[in-house]
Amino acid sequence: KGLIPPGPLGTPKVALARARGHAVRAGGAMAPGDEGRTSHVMSVDAEEQSEKPEYTALSSADARGPLFAVATVGVFVVFMMATGSKAWNPTGYLGFASYALLYVVTIPAKEALNTALVFFAELLQLKRIDKGEGKVKKLEKLETIDYCYLGFNTLVEFVGMNHIIAFLLQGPVLTRLQQFSLTNGPIAFMLTMILNDVIYYPVHCVAHKRAFYPFCHKQHHRQFVPFRGYQDAANQHPFEQIYGFSIFLASCHISARLTGFHAGAAWVAFFAWAILNIANHLPFDSGVHLPLPYPAYPRDHQMHHRFSQCNYSTLTSMCDRLFGTFRAFRALDEPEPPEPPQLMWWEKLKDPANIEDENDEKEPPPMGRPDFCPSHWSVLWVTVCIFLSTCIIEWVRIGGFPDWHVYSIFAKAFIVMFNGGLLCYAVESACAQPVDVKGRSERLYTKPTMQQREERENKNLQAVESKPYKRE
């Protein structure tokens, strides 16, 4: 009917694919759930692009997400007004004028934090991972709809931060220095971060289902290669901001009930959660992570934006590895590895008598820290930040410095965390050494094969026959 313009995405094949219900995107990307379908995403020919570059994408937009966003913000505002000031000002410390002023101040403050992270990344000369000649193109310029989502989310984020600060100041947290321990300090910190990912993982998986994806999570995946930091992180549906803050608050409350939660560890958990959400959308392979088993890195989250059916977790990849959704990082310009040939069942059988030692042909395992082990530097920095945050809270509470013997409360936690960091360092150092893969014949205490046994018997028989016979 002339609704699809002529051009790279206006060819008859693409029109037929759209008519059959298949998703077509520019740049070779694929919508979630389309991997197993029979029709693949059409790649655009370079000559065709050069002839008509104005039609690089279809101009039609899906209105389900924006309409649901407006409805979400409307219900959110009505709910806050109907429930009183406790919903939007849970601490009760701020009046309306100071509340509005602080809301305005937080907008440039988040951009300043993002600029500071970029400055330190460039100062350390970290490798950029948003460069390459791959088919995946990033959203270079934000559009009007993106700025609308960012504007909505500034309000939702500010209310969510107020609830988190209310938990830190008035919630079930411990504030006295004498109440600090190993369980309500470092262990509660790690438990909160693991719980956050365990709860967030299934919610994120559901958001990628075909029935829910267009209404909510599709906006966040407009960016295939994140590089702006905060703007790419906050460019999502307001409903995602609501359940993101709710999951973190629920994790904090669960940790406070199970192990107790000291305010020093809780403040560090809040800042670490916020900073890592920004770092996951920066274009640097920073390697920043938390001292958790199977820590997640910013490069893992970039793979989630490029291949949406993998790497759903943000702080640790335990759930991804457990349920088989983890995908290792691959650079944008790195070619796809060749698929192994499909063998029939009889081709996989091997004769035990003629089997060769496969270890002689295997490459040595890669050197470096194993995936399950965090860096000893992450253990050190988190421990120092928790101790320093606890001291600052005590100094503010009593209005001065306590006696020096009070700081001995850190001794037990320091010993345990120091040994944990030492263990991570030992594992990393051991795995940094080159490994000499020995064959079966070079190992000790191995059973000889039938062929080796026959060769040994023949050699012994030849040795006996070659000796001259001596009469006793």
Side-chain angles (χ1 to χ4, degrees):
K1 300 290 185 178
L3 296 179
I4 301 179
L9 295 184
T11 57
K13 282 188 177 181
V14 180
L16 181 60
R18 289 182 59 84
R20 291 177 177 174
H22 301 295
V24 179
R25 290 190 185 183
M30 186 176 293
D34 288 342
E35 288 85 352
R37 301 195 136 197
T38 54
S39 66
H40 300 280
V41 175
M42 314 299 178
S43 60
V44 180
D45 191 20
E47 298 179 359
E48 198 172 2
Q49 268 190 342
S50 61
E51 292 176 358
K52 297 181 179 181
E54 63 273 15
Y55 296 111
T56 56
L58 289 174
S59 59
S60 59
D62 192 350
R64 290 174 290 182
L67 290 178
F68 183 53
V70 173
T72 302
V73 174
V75 172
F76 183 73
V77 173
V78 170
F79 173 78
M80 288 193 300
M81 294 176 63
T83 54
S85 61
K86 203 66 178 175
W88 54 271
N89 188 14
T91 60
Y93 297 154
L94 302 174
F96 182 78
S98 55
Y99 187 89
L101 179 62
L102 189 60
Y103 163 69
V104 174
V105 170
T106 56
I107 297 175
K110 288 178 283 191
E111 289 294 337
L113 176 61
N114 186 84
T115 305
L117 293 176
V118 173
F119 171 77
F120 283 112
E122 293 177 347
L123 184 66
L124 297 174
Q125 298 181 353
L126 299 180
K127 179 183 177 182
R128 294 183 69 99
I129 54 177
D130 63 331
K131 305 294 184 182
E133 298 298 331
K135 294 182 179 180
V136 181
K137 305 299 181 183
K138 55 186 176 182
L139 186 64
E140 296 284 355
K141 185 179 179 181
L142 296 178
E143 300 176 1
T144 304
I145 188 173
D146 302 310
Y147 288 112
C148 291
Y149 275 100
L150 289 172
F152 286 154
N153 287 329
T154 55
L155 175 62
V156 179
E157 285 175 357
F158 186 69
V159 176
M161 285 191 293
N162 273 270
H163 280 273
I164 292 178
I165 293 175
F167 170 82
L168 297 173
L169 299 180
Q170 303 171 352
V173 294
L174 308 172
T175 57
R176 297 174 61 87
L177 181 60
Q178 291 82 357
Q179 296 173 319
F180 183 87
S181 67
L182 174 66
T183 55
N184 61 36
I187 293 180
F189 170 87
M190 291 185 284
L191 178 62
T192 302
M193 295 307 187
I194 292 176
L195 284 174
N196 180 84
D197 258 28
V198 169
I199 302 173
Y200 181 77
Y201 179 85
V203 177
H204 197 179
C205 291
V206 171
H208 276 270
K209 296 300 180 182
R210 182 170 294 276
F212 305 100
Y213 184 78
F215 294 93
C216 187
H217 200 51
K218 183 178 180 179
Q219 172 64 27
H220 187 61
H221 278 269
R222 277 169 50 83
Q223 179 61 276
F224 296 143
V225 185
F227 68 98
R228 294 185 184 89
Y230 168 73
Q231 290 186 0
D232 287 338
N235 188 11
Q236 58 183 351
H237 199 280
F239 186 68
E240 296 182 82
Q241 293 278 13
I242 294 174
Y243 71 66
F245 277 93
S246 301
I247 289 173
F248 180 75
L249 271 174
S251 304
C252 293
H253 279 282
I254 294 173
S255 298
R257 281 184 171 272
L258 293 178
T259 61
F261 211 174
H262 198 278
W267 278 99
V268 175
F270 169 53
F271 282 109
W273 174 72
I275 291 175
L276 283 175
N277 279 333
I278 298 176
N280 283 340
H281 295 83
L282 287 175
F284 301 101
D285 189 12
S286 59
V288 60
H289 62 278
L290 297 176
L292 305 175
Y294 289 103
Y297 302 91
R299 59 177 178 265
D300 297 330
H301 192 69
Q302 190 200 78
M303 292 295 292
H304 172 70
H305 277 262
R306 290 161 53 189
F307 307 94
S308 59
Q309 302 298 316
C310 66
N311 298 3
Y312 295 106
S313 302
T314 56
L315 304 177
T316 170
S317 60
M318 281 195 308
C319 293
D320 283 306
R321 296 176 186 273
L322 180 63
F323 295 101
T325 56
F326 179 77
R327 186 165 185 167
F329 174 74
R330 183 171 56 84
L332 287 170
D333 52 357
E334 183 179 347
E336 285 279 359
E339 296 184 0
Q342 297 292 333
L343 301 178
M344 303 301 293
W345 65 269
W346 63 83
E347 296 177 325
K348 300 177 182 179
L349 300 178
K350 296 181 180 179
D351 186 2
N354 299 326
I355 189 171
E356 297 181 358
D357 191 3
E358 298 179 355
N359 291 324
D360 294 334
E361 302 177 358
K362 287 184 178 179
E363 297 181 359
M367 295 187 297
R369 187 173 66 250
D371 294 335
F372 71 87
C373 182
S375 171
H376 62 282
W377 288 109
S378 65
V379 179
L380 173 65
W381 280 111
V382 167
T383 305
V384 170
C385 289
I386 292 176
F387 288 173
L388 185 59
S389 175
T390 305
C391 292
I392 292 174
I393 293 172
E394 181 70 10
W395 299 340
V396 173
R397 190 183 67 84
I398 66 176
F401 298 97
D403 295 334
W404 63 270
H405 60 83
V406 179
Y407 298 105
S408 61
I409 197 70
F410 294 131
K412 183 177 180 180
F414 173 78
I415 292 173
V416 174
M417 297 301 290
F418 178 79
N419 282 276
L422 196 63
L423 176 63
C424 295
Y425 177 76
V427 171
E428 185 176 355
S429 300
C431 295
Q433 303 296 328
V435 179
D436 184 18
V437 180
K438 294 184 178 181
R440 192 175 302 167
S441 59
E442 300 176 4
R443 296 177 183 175
L444 299 177
Y445 311 111
T446 57
K447 266 178 120 177
T449 61
M450 296 173 58
Q451 185 177 1
Q452 290 175 342
R453 193 178 302 162
E454 291 179 1
E455 292 177 356
R456 186 181 302 174
E457 291 177 357
N458 293 334
K459 188 182 295 184
N460 294 337
L461 185 61
Q462 292 176 2
V464 171
E465 292 177 351
S466 61
K467 289 182 181 180
Y469 177 74
K470 295 182 180 180
R471 180 178 297 178
E472 295 182 358

